[in-house]
Amino acid sequence: MKKRRGKMPVSERAKQFAPFAAINGLDAALARKEREHARKARIEIMEDEAVGINAKLSELYVGEFTEITYYCRGHYVTAEGEIQLIDPRRKLLVLDGKEIHFKDLYSIK
């Protein structure tokens, strides 16, 4: 004679439908690949665009609020905030704690 099981409590029953990862690390590997495919090559700006960026850069001053688009690790990022430092010798701009090299600038508004 078979022994009959009692009803499973509702709190235990939900566990049988929980997600299951068949391969450890698969989610992380897929996310890494997705980030790699989302990367973009740096866009080479034309000479007249570079002159325009240099002109706008020369008009900026510390404490000014601005919006800057720049290239960072395969992506174009737009940041806005207060300029904290402009260092022409090191060709560096600091916007709200983010260091942005002049060569990475794409646009200044």
Side-chain angles (χ1 to χ4, degrees):
M1 192 185 264
K2 289 185 176 178
K3 186 176 179 182
R4 193 158 179 189
R5 294 186 198 178
K7 273 191 164 184
M8 183 183 289
V10 175
S11 61
E12 293 295 315
R13 190 163 184 260
K15 289 181 183 176
Q16 66 184 333
F17 300 109
F20 168 70
I23 302 172
N24 290 333
L26 179 63
D27 290 337
L30 290 173
R32 186 173 52 250
K33 271 295 187 199
E34 192 172 305
R35 281 192 304 272
E36 287 174 11
H37 285 295
R39 289 181 183 220
K40 297 177 183 172
R42 185 186 304 258
I43 298 169
E44 293 297 323
I45 58 174
M46 303 303 279
E47 185 70 30
D48 57 333
E49 293 172 326
V51 169
I53 290 172
N54 284 335
K56 287 180 183 177
L57 192 57
S58 66
E59 295 171 0
L60 294 177
Y61 56 89
V62 174
E64 183 178 5
F65 189 85
T66 189
E67 181 180 304
I68 294 176
T69 302
Y70 63 99
Y71 187 78
C72 180
R73 297 186 199 131
H75 302 282
Y76 281 92
V77 180
T78 301
E80 58 181 37
E82 184 180 324
I83 296 174
Q84 296 170 326
L85 173 73
I86 300 171
D87 188 348
R89 196 179 102 256
R90 290 181 12 204
K91 297 181 180 177
L92 182 75
L93 174 91
V94 177
L95 180 77
D96 279 346
K98 297 177 196 109
E99 292 186 356
I100 304 167
H101 294 276
F102 290 176
K103 66 180 174 70
D104 296 329
L105 291 173
Y106 184 71
S107 72
I108 302 172
K109 293 183 182 175

